[in-house]
C-alpha cells in the first residue's frame, strides 16, 4: 500500500511523456482547449465553458477529489526532455479516466493531443500505454474502454495499436454536421 501512495504522489513516467496532475496554471490552457469548437464533435461538448467553470473543475482536481469520489481522473501530458534535444518540457494534451466503476474495476479512457504539430510523434501512444500501466499496477483496474467515432481513423489506429480491441458498434450514435455517425466501442483487458 505504501508504494501505491508514493506512485500517486509522483509524476507517472512514460518513455517520451510524463503524466501529471492538473495544476492551477493549467486552467487557461484547459479553458482554450475545451472551448475549441472544432473538437466538440469528438468530446461531446455542446456549449462553451466559462472561465469560472474551468476554475471550479481545476479546483476539484486539486481539492483531493480522487477517482473513487469524482469518478474522473484528468492528467496532463507533458513532453520529457531528452539528451539530444534542448527543448523544454511542455504540455501537449490531456488524458482522462472517467465513468469509474469500482465494483467491476473498469473505467473509460479519453485522450487529447491538441496541436497538429504534436500529433504523430508518439505522445498519444506513450500516454495511453503509460496510463494503462498505471491503471493496472496502481489503481488495480481490470479493464479500460473507449468509444471512438467510426470516421476518426487516427484515434481508432491509436487505440488498436495500444492493445484495445473492438467489442461493438453503436449505430448512428453521434449527430454531426454531416449527419449521424456510428461509434466504435473498444476495450482493453489489463
Amino acid at each position: 500500500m505504501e508504494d501505491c501512495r508514493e506512485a500517486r504522489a509522483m509524476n507517472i513516467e512514460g518513455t517520451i511523456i510524463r503524466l501529471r496532475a492538473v495544476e492551477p496554471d493549467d486552467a487557461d490552457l484547459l479553458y482554450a482547449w475545451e472551448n475549441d469548437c472544432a473538437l466538440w464533435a469528438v468530446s461531446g461538448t455542446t456549449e462553451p465553458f466559462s472561465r469560472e467553470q474551468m476554475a471550479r473543475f481545476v479546483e476539484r482536481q486539486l481539492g483531493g477529489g480522487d477517482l473513487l469520489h469524482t469518478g474522473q481522473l484528468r492528467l496532463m501530458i507533458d513532453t520529457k526532455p531528452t539528451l539530444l534535444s534542448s527543448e523544454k518540457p511542455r504540455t501537449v494534451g490531456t488524458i482522462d479516466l472517467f465513468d469509474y466503476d469500482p465494483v467491476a474495476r473498469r473505467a473509460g479512457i479519453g485522450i487529447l493531443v491538441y496541436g497538429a504539430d504534436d500529433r504523430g510523434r508518439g505522445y498519444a501512444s506513450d500516454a495511453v500505454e503509460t496510463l494503462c500501466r498505471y491503471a493496472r499496477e496502481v489503481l488495480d483496474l481490470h479493464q479500460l474502454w473507449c468509444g471512438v467515432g467510426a470516421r476518426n481513423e487516427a484515434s481508432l489506429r491509436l487505440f488498436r495499436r495500444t492493445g484495445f480491441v473492438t467489442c461493438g458498434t453503436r449505430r448512428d450514435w453521434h449527430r454531426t454536421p454531416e449527419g449521424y455517425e456510428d461509434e466504435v466501442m473498444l476495450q482493453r483487458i489489463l
Side-chain angles (χ1 to χ4, degrees):
M1 191 64 158
E2 185 72 25
D3 292 336
C4 291
R5 280 193 297 268
E6 287 177 22
R8 289 176 197 192
M10 297 184 301
N11 291 320
I12 304 165
E13 300 288 329
T15 304
I16 60 172
I17 59 88
R18 175 178 293 130
L19 303 179
R20 64 168 175 81
V22 174
E23 297 287 344
D25 290 345
D26 295 319
D28 287 337
L29 188 59
L30 290 171
Y31 173 78
W33 289 353
E34 294 287 351
N35 283 309
D36 183 344
C37 59
L39 301 175
W40 287 7
V42 175
S43 66
T45 303
T46 58
E47 58 193 44
F49 289 91
S50 70
R51 288 192 185 280
E52 179 61 29
Q53 287 172 307
M54 196 52 56
R56 282 196 313 265
F57 172 79
V58 169
E59 191 63 35
R60 278 192 308 275
Q61 294 289 304
L62 295 171
D66 61 13
L67 187 59
L68 182 61
H69 294 97
T70 66
Q72 178 179 2
L73 172 65
R74 171 159 294 177
L75 298 168
M76 305 304 287
I77 304 169
D78 288 351
T79 61
K80 284 173 57 174
T82 66
L83 296 174
L84 302 175
S85 170
S86 61
E87 185 177 310
K88 295 171 96 172
R90 58 195 175 81
T91 302
V92 296
T94 65
I95 190 164
D96 294 352
L97 292 178
F98 59 91
D99 289 348
Y100 171 62
D101 182 336
V103 175
R105 295 181 20 239
R106 68 175 167 244
I109 183 173
I111 186 168
L112 167 70
V113 173
Y114 185 76
D117 291 345
D118 290 323
R119 296 185 194 134
R121 297 181 68 183
Y123 299 140
S125 294
D126 196 25
V128 170
E129 287 291 351
T130 302
L131 188 59
C132 285
R133 186 179 68 246
Y134 178 77
R136 180 184 64 248
E137 294 174 3
V138 177
L139 301 177
D140 194 32
L141 294 184
H142 174 67
Q143 68 176 285
L144 296 176
W145 60 270
C146 62
V148 177
R151 291 188 293 240
N152 189 340
E153 294 176 21
S155 287
L156 289 170
R157 277 193 311 274
L158 164 68
F159 283 107
R160 288 176 177 144
R161 185 173 55 247
T162 55
F164 285 75
V165 296
T166 300
C167 59
T169 301
R170 294 176 173 176
R171 307 287 302 162
D172 286 350
W173 197 252
H174 295 288
R175 184 173 176 217
T176 71
E178 296 81 33
Y180 284 90
E181 176 183 22
D182 293 350
E183 180 178 80
V184 178
M185 298 300 298
L186 301 106
Q187 72 181 142
R188 178 173 165 179
I189 306 298
L190 301 172

